[in-house]
Amino acid sequence: MREVDVLIVGGGPAGLSAAVALYEQGVKDILVVEREAQLGGILKQCIHDGFGLTRFQQALSGPEYAQIFIDRVRELGIPCLTNAAVLEITPDKKVTIVTPEGLLEYRARAILLAMGCRERTRGALAIPGERPAGVFTAGVAQSYINLYNRMPAREVVILGSGDIGLIMARRLTLEGAHVKGVYEILPYPSGLARNIQQCLNDYDIPLHLGHTVIDIHGDARLTGVTVAKVDDQRRPIPGTEEYIPCDTLILSVGLIPENELSRGAGVMLNPRTQGAVVDEYGQTSAPGIFAAGNVLHVHDVVDEVSAEAERQAAAIRKYLEQGALPEAGVTLRAGQGVHHVVPQHITGADEFLLSLRVATPLRNTKITVRDGDRIVAQKTYRRAVPAEMIHFMVKPGTPQTHEWEVSVE
Amino acid sequence: MKQVFTCIICPNSCEIEVSEEGITGALCRRGVQYVQQELTDPRRNIATTVAVQGGAEPLVSVRLTAPIPKARIMEAAEAIHALQPEAPVKAGTVLAHDLLGLGADVIATKSVEKRQRISAGYESGLASVWQRYESTPHTQALKTRKAWTSSAAQTSIVCPSRRP
């Protein structure tokens, strides 16, 4: 069994940002483990621009953003294992990795989970109908077109208005496909407003809110879908069905943090974020195991993933130096109107960054952090939507209770 | 007369209102500039891919160095798709100067190495495996299936190559 100070699971933006930050802060005994042949994670297939606006004040493409970190990792000589999949992480931080050369076993003093997320599929939606070819998740269609030079579609219907679906509506149009429409079951879009504008409106692609696909038709290949309006309980309204001929259905219906390894390591998960329960240091319920990026909670932009990974890197360095981090005895709860909060536990001693999503779209709203009767922090927003993550720094003051609540009014 | 714009400059996605009283609702100066541009000469950047001849990967991703008029996007996309750079391509390389005279260059946003020929035997072996697959009754059946001759005729079950 080999030993390493920090083992980072995943060579995407979170893993790479953390590796660079750790190394620059003097933690040099690091290993990045990536299951694909190349570093960069999902950014490899995100060829559109808009990455790095906050961090580099430039609209870079995904591959360019990733390359900045890959170059830095190479320059510093940080070891990265590619084509290497982590099979298991134990609560006492033993890691089993499979590589083309065989199995490797490591014992790490600290682990950073940076596995990212994956897409929800048709199975998760339970759409009835046939099982023809031609039903793809947006990310799969994206990799076909952007990486493998395959054109999976001609006449397209998109279900769900997540950001990748919107990006793919534009991408498919540029490649000569005809996108007939985007159907979203919710009464509001799931993706960022800027993507509705630049990916749909710019190309005259209609967005149908409060609609969903209720049937899939086709034998070997998809021949069409039936869509229908839904009521406020998201149930299809009889009589509103419409048949739309198409050869491809693209699904953009949400992302799920990929936490199978975390579960095996005894890490507690939060049912709302579907990521690990963490404290303000990004430390999970398993001491010495940290999480950052989309495996922790799904972010809107990569710049924030990098920033989060860097904060976690600073905490990991502190953990290595001190052997343990201060106990986070205060619980943060998502209250009225708040879908989830990260972190879920805090020490109450230091200033921390609070991230949250609201449950429904709101205008002129106040977000309040309460410790019993004491208002710890309050922020006013002209517009708050579930598609946009909200974050702000919170100064905890002197805690009165151990159960704080974040709510919207 | 009031018009509402969604700013696309950054993820804030500001809702910006334009009326006789002026431009309101932008969180920063870039939002005001965006709306002014949008009212007079709307422009967008585009990102796509180009087939690489002899590359270790089939495609290189590209983008424009500056936004171009919105109305010329499809024309620009076609012009970009017609490019045929040869491997190796380095990220940042200009693949076309001043595309269609629009004042923007096409640059590669990733690097693609030259394809390494493993051996002639390997390649002919691969070709014969492909041929065997093509001639199996299963593949033949898929190709001749009735469903394929109707509306989905041109979209095969195996996604066709997008560009040569």
Side-chain angles (χ1 to χ4, degrees), chain A residues 14 17 19 39-40 90 115 139 186 192 201 215 245 280-281 304 320 332 339 355 357 371 378 398 400 404 408:
Chain A
S17 303
L39 297 171
T90 65
M115 293 89 82
L186 297 172
L192 297 175
N201 300 351
D215 206 351
E280 67 212 67
Y281 306 107
E304 286 162 11
L320 292 175
L332 263 188
H339 182 264
S355 302
R357 282 185 199 272
D371 167 17
Q378 192 159 55
T398 315
Q400 317 271 305
W404 294 14
V408 161

mmCIF file of all heavy atoms in Angstrom, chain A residues 14 17 19 39-40 90 115 139 186 192 201 215 245 280-281 304 320 332 339 355 357 371 378 398 400 404 408:
data_model
loop_
_atom_site.group_PDB
_atom_site.id
_atom_site.type_symbol
_atom_site.label_atom_id
_atom_site.label_comp_id
_atom_site.label_asym_id
_atom_site.label_seq_id
_atom_site.Cartn_x
_atom_site.Cartn_y
_atom_site.Cartn_z
ATOM 1 N N ALA A 14 -12.860 20.980 -10.666
ATOM 2 C CA ALA A 14 -12.738 21.023 -9.200
ATOM 3 C C ALA A 14 -11.433 20.371 -8.768
ATOM 4 O O ALA A 14 -10.654 20.944 -7.999
ATOM 5 C CB ALA A 14 -13.925 20.324 -8.547
ATOM 6 N N SER A 17 -8.301 22.473 -9.905
ATOM 7 C CA SER A 17 -8.163 23.738 -9.158
ATOM 8 C C SER A 17 -7.639 23.459 -7.758
ATOM 9 O O SER A 17 -6.769 24.174 -7.254
ATOM 10 C CB SER A 17 -9.514 24.448 -9.035
ATOM 11 O OG SER A 17 -10.062 24.688 -10.299
ATOM 12 N N ALA A 19 -5.899 20.815 -6.776
ATOM 13 C CA ALA A 19 -4.519 20.318 -6.842
ATOM 14 C C ALA A 19 -3.537 21.484 -6.934
ATOM 15 O O ALA A 19 -2.539 21.538 -6.214
ATOM 16 C CB ALA A 19 -4.357 19.376 -8.037
ATOM 17 N N LEU A 39 -7.289 14.798 -18.868
ATOM 18 C CA LEU A 39 -7.790 15.646 -17.789
ATOM 19 C C LEU A 39 -8.782 16.657 -18.361
ATOM 20 O O LEU A 39 -8.836 16.879 -19.560
ATOM 21 C CB LEU A 39 -6.608 16.386 -17.140
ATOM 22 C CG LEU A 39 -5.561 15.501 -16.458
ATOM 23 C CD1 LEU A 39 -4.349 16.343 -16.062
ATOM 24 C CD2 LEU A 39 -6.140 14.805 -15.231
ATOM 25 N N GLY A 40 -9.537 17.279 -17.501
ATOM 26 C CA GLY A 40 -10.433 18.362 -17.951
ATOM 27 C C GLY A 40 -11.899 18.101 -17.684
ATOM 28 O O GLY A 40 -12.712 19.016 -17.703
ATOM 29 N N THR A 90 -12.567 3.724 1.491
ATOM 30 C CA THR A 90 -13.076 3.254 2.776
ATOM 31 C C THR A 90 -13.114 4.425 3.764
ATOM 32 O O THR A 90 -12.439 5.437 3.546
ATOM 33 C CB THR A 90 -12.190 2.136 3.359
ATOM 34 O OG1 THR A 90 -10.907 2.706 3.653
ATOM 35 C CG2 THR A 90 -12.032 0.981 2.392
ATOM 36 N N MET A 115 -15.801 14.241 -8.139
ATOM 37 C CA MET A 115 -16.228 13.365 -9.236
ATOM 38 C C MET A 115 -17.253 14.008 -10.152
ATOM 39 O O MET A 115 -17.652 13.409 -11.149
ATOM 40 C CB MET A 115 -16.829 12.065 -8.679
ATOM 41 C CG MET A 115 -15.837 11.168 -7.954
ATOM 42 S SD MET A 115 -15.739 11.587 -6.197
ATOM 43 C CE MET A 115 -17.119 10.736 -5.512
ATOM 44 N N GLY A 139 -25.981 15.882 -22.745
ATOM 45 C CA GLY A 139 -24.527 15.739 -22.670
ATOM 46 C C GLY A 139 -24.002 14.660 -23.604
ATOM 47 O O GLY A 139 -22.907 14.780 -24.155
ATOM 48 N N LEU A 186 -42.038 22.560 -15.771
ATOM 49 C CA LEU A 186 -42.262 23.605 -14.777
ATOM 50 C C LEU A 186 -42.800 24.876 -15.447
ATOM 51 O O LEU A 186 -42.628 25.069 -16.641
ATOM 52 C CB LEU A 186 -40.941 23.923 -14.047
ATOM 53 C CG LEU A 186 -40.343 22.770 -13.237
ATOM 54 C CD1 LEU A 186 -38.958 23.143 -12.733
ATOM 55 C CD2 LEU A 186 -41.256 22.414 -12.078
ATOM 56 N N LEU A 192 -30.297 29.229 -17.126
ATOM 57 C CA LEU A 192 -30.043 30.651 -16.897
ATOM 58 C C LEU A 192 -30.766 31.489 -17.950
ATOM 59 O O LEU A 192 -30.872 31.099 -19.106
ATOM 60 C CB LEU A 192 -28.540 30.937 -16.978
ATOM 61 C CG LEU A 192 -27.638 30.248 -15.942
ATOM 62 C CD1 LEU A 192 -26.177 30.543 -16.242
ATOM 63 C CD2 LEU A 192 -27.984 30.702 -14.530
ATOM 64 N N ASN A 201 -34.009 32.250 -28.050
ATOM 65 C CA ASN A 201 -34.577 33.431 -28.710
ATOM 66 C C ASN A 201 -33.786 33.842 -29.945
ATOM 67 O O ASN A 201 -34.358 34.168 -30.973
ATOM 68 C CB ASN A 201 -34.645 34.608 -27.736
ATOM 69 C CG ASN A 201 -35.507 34.304 -26.529
ATOM 70 O OD1 ASN A 201 -36.184 33.274 -26.497
ATOM 71 N ND2 ASN A 201 -35.502 35.166 -25.533
ATOM 72 N N ASP A 215 -45.467 10.528 -24.341
ATOM 73 C CA ASP A 215 -45.346 9.263 -25.059
ATOM 74 C C ASP A 215 -44.219 9.357 -26.087
ATOM 75 O O ASP A 215 -43.961 10.433 -26.623
ATOM 76 C CB ASP A 215 -46.668 8.924 -25.756
ATOM 77 C CG ASP A 215 -46.836 7.418 -25.954
ATOM 78 O OD1 ASP A 215 -45.866 6.668 -25.703
ATOM 79 O OD2 ASP A 215 -47.934 7.003 -26.372
ATOM 80 N N PRO A 245 -43.805 14.954 -34.922
ATOM 81 C CA PRO A 245 -42.858 14.069 -35.586
ATOM 82 C C PRO A 245 -41.436 14.556 -35.365
ATOM 83 O O PRO A 245 -41.174 15.759 -35.462
ATOM 84 C CB PRO A 245 -43.235 14.169 -37.076
ATOM 85 C CG PRO A 245 -44.378 15.114 -37.169
ATOM 86 C CD PRO A 245 -44.582 15.773 -35.853
ATOM 87 N N GLU A 280 -18.466 24.147 6.884
ATOM 88 C CA GLU A 280 -17.969 25.299 6.122
ATOM 89 C C GLU A 280 -16.595 25.048 5.478
ATOM 90 O O GLU A 280 -16.161 25.811 4.634
ATOM 91 C CB GLU A 280 -17.918 26.528 7.027
ATOM 92 C CG GLU A 280 -16.886 26.415 8.145
ATOM 93 C CD GLU A 280 -17.319 27.145 9.405
ATOM 94 O OE1 GLU A 280 -18.300 26.707 10.026
ATOM 95 O OE2 GLU A 280 -16.673 28.134 9.755
ATOM 96 N N TYR A 281 -15.897 23.996 5.910
ATOM 97 C CA TYR A 281 -14.599 23.659 5.308
ATOM 98 C C TYR A 281 -14.760 22.716 4.117
ATOM 99 O O TYR A 281 -13.786 22.312 3.495
ATOM 100 C CB TYR A 281 -13.683 22.998 6.345
ATOM 101 C CG TYR A 281 -13.520 23.828 7.590
ATOM 102 C CD1 TYR A 281 -14.132 23.449 8.777
ATOM 103 C CD2 TYR A 281 -12.761 24.999 7.556
ATOM 104 C CE1 TYR A 281 -14.002 24.229 9.922
ATOM 105 C CE2 TYR A 281 -12.630 25.778 8.688
ATOM 106 C CZ TYR A 281 -13.249 25.396 9.875
ATOM 107 O OH TYR A 281 -13.124 26.170 10.978
ATOM 108 N N GLU A 304 -17.153 29.272 -10.226
ATOM 109 C CA GLU A 304 -17.508 29.031 -8.825
ATOM 110 C C GLU A 304 -17.027 27.664 -8.349
ATOM 111 O O GLU A 304 -16.709 27.485 -7.181
ATOM 112 C CB GLU A 304 -19.027 29.146 -8.643
ATOM 113 C CG GLU A 304 -19.477 30.586 -8.685
ATOM 114 C CD GLU A 304 -20.966 30.743 -8.942
ATOM 115 O OE1 GLU A 304 -21.689 29.729 -8.883
ATOM 116 O OE2 GLU A 304 -21.386 31.878 -9.225
ATOM 117 N N LEU A 320 -4.430 18.960 7.496
ATOM 118 C CA LEU A 320 -3.183 18.188 7.542
ATOM 119 C C LEU A 320 -2.250 18.718 8.624
ATOM 120 O O LEU A 320 -1.574 17.961 9.316
ATOM 121 C CB LEU A 320 -2.485 18.220 6.182
ATOM 122 C CG LEU A 320 -3.189 17.483 5.034
ATOM 123 C CD1 LEU A 320 -2.433 17.703 3.723
ATOM 124 C CD2 LEU A 320 -3.321 15.994 5.334
ATOM 125 N N LEU A 332 -27.305 24.237 9.883
ATOM 126 C CA LEU A 332 -28.008 25.223 9.049
ATOM 127 C C LEU A 332 -29.122 24.498 8.314
ATOM 128 O O LEU A 332 -28.866 23.521 7.608
ATOM 129 C CB LEU A 332 -27.049 25.780 7.996
ATOM 130 C CG LEU A 332 -26.339 27.095 8.235
ATOM 131 C CD1 LEU A 332 -25.612 27.494 6.972
ATOM 132 C CD2 LEU A 332 -27.300 28.184 8.662
ATOM 133 N N HIS A 339 -34.665 25.898 -1.264
ATOM 134 C CA HIS A 339 -34.572 24.496 -1.670
ATOM 135 C C HIS A 339 -33.462 23.772 -0.920
ATOM 136 O O HIS A 339 -33.646 22.700 -0.393
ATOM 137 C CB HIS A 339 -34.351 24.372 -3.179
ATOM 138 C CG HIS A 339 -34.302 22.949 -3.641
ATOM 139 N ND1 HIS A 339 -33.118 22.268 -3.807
ATOM 140 C CD2 HIS A 339 -35.290 22.073 -3.909
ATOM 141 C CE1 HIS A 339 -33.403 21.025 -4.180
ATOM 142 N NE2 HIS A 339 -34.698 20.882 -4.256
ATOM 143 N N SER A 355 -24.132 29.131 0.288
ATOM 144 C CA SER A 355 -24.694 28.941 -1.050
ATOM 145 C C SER A 355 -26.093 28.370 -0.899
ATOM 146 O O SER A 355 -26.322 27.516 -0.046
ATOM 147 C CB SER A 355 -23.854 27.950 -1.860
ATOM 148 O OG SER A 355 -22.536 28.391 -1.953
ATOM 149 N N ARG A 357 -30.180 27.708 -3.115
ATOM 150 C CA ARG A 357 -31.110 27.943 -4.215
ATOM 151 C C ARG A 357 -32.492 28.130 -3.630
ATOM 152 O O ARG A 357 -32.869 27.443 -2.677
ATOM 153 C CB ARG A 357 -31.131 26.755 -5.185
ATOM 154 C CG ARG A 357 -29.932 26.729 -6.124
ATOM 155 C CD ARG A 357 -30.048 25.618 -7.145
ATOM 156 N NE ARG A 357 -28.755 25.307 -7.716
ATOM 157 C CZ ARG A 357 -28.243 25.921 -8.785
ATOM 158 N NH1 ARG A 357 -28.928 26.855 -9.405
ATOM 159 N NH2 ARG A 357 -27.058 25.589 -9.229
ATOM 160 N N ASP A 371 -30.738 32.773 13.866
ATOM 161 C CA ASP A 371 -30.243 31.958 14.964
ATOM 162 C C ASP A 371 -31.226 32.209 16.100
ATOM 163 O O ASP A 371 -31.089 33.182 16.846
ATOM 164 C CB ASP A 371 -28.830 32.440 15.318
ATOM 165 C CG ASP A 371 -28.342 31.873 16.640
ATOM 166 O OD1 ASP A 371 -28.929 30.886 17.125
ATOM 167 O OD2 ASP A 371 -27.365 32.429 17.185
ATOM 168 N N GLN A 378 -28.944 39.174 6.480
ATOM 169 C CA GLN A 378 -30.129 39.374 5.654
ATOM 170 C C GLN A 378 -29.700 40.040 4.354
ATOM 171 O O GLN A 378 -28.895 40.955 4.355
ATOM 172 C CB GLN A 378 -31.125 40.264 6.401
ATOM 173 C CG GLN A 378 -32.489 40.280 5.751
ATOM 174 C CD GLN A 378 -33.551 40.722 6.733
ATOM 175 O OE1 GLN A 378 -33.436 41.791 7.334
ATOM 176 N NE2 GLN A 378 -34.582 39.912 6.914
ATOM 177 N N THR A 398 -22.125 35.774 17.728
ATOM 178 C CA THR A 398 -22.086 34.792 18.819
ATOM 179 C C THR A 398 -23.326 33.902 18.757
ATOM 180 O O THR A 398 -24.435 34.373 18.944
ATOM 181 C CB THR A 398 -22.055 35.498 20.193
ATOM 182 O OG1 THR A 398 -21.108 36.565 20.101
ATOM 183 C CG2 THR A 398 -21.650 34.539 21.295
ATOM 184 N N GLN A 400 -26.469 31.698 19.510
ATOM 185 C CA GLN A 400 -27.356 31.543 20.668
ATOM 186 C C GLN A 400 -27.901 30.110 20.705
ATOM 187 O O GLN A 400 -28.105 29.576 21.774
ATOM 188 C CB GLN A 400 -28.563 32.498 20.540
ATOM 189 C CG GLN A 400 -28.231 33.885 20.065
ATOM 190 C CD GLN A 400 -27.899 34.794 21.231
ATOM 191 O OE1 GLN A 400 -28.684 34.924 22.140
ATOM 192 N NE2 GLN A 400 -26.716 35.386 21.195
ATOM 193 N N TRP A 404 -29.834 26.774 13.163
ATOM 194 C CA TRP A 404 -30.100 28.008 12.443
ATOM 195 C C TRP A 404 -30.964 27.703 11.227
ATOM 196 O O TRP A 404 -30.971 26.584 10.743
ATOM 197 C CB TRP A 404 -28.801 28.658 11.976
ATOM 198 C CG TRP A 404 -27.920 29.133 13.080
ATOM 199 C CD1 TRP A 404 -28.009 28.813 14.409
ATOM 200 C CD2 TRP A 404 -26.794 30.009 12.947
ATOM 201 N NE1 TRP A 404 -27.006 29.433 15.107
ATOM 202 C CE2 TRP A 404 -26.245 30.165 14.240
ATOM 203 C CE3 TRP A 404 -26.195 30.661 11.875
ATOM 204 C CZ2 TRP A 404 -25.129 30.956 14.468
ATOM 205 C CZ3 TRP A 404 -25.082 31.445 12.096
ATOM 206 C CH2 TRP A 404 -24.556 31.589 13.396
ATOM 207 N N VAL A 408 -36.806 32.515 3.173
ATOM 208 C CA VAL A 408 -37.094 33.572 2.219
ATOM 209 C C VAL A 408 -38.370 34.250 2.663
ATOM 210 O O VAL A 408 -39.298 33.580 3.099
ATOM 211 C CB VAL A 408 -37.315 32.929 0.835
ATOM 212 C CG1 VAL A 408 -38.062 33.878 -0.086
ATOM 213 C CG2 VAL A 408 -35.995 32.518 0.221
#
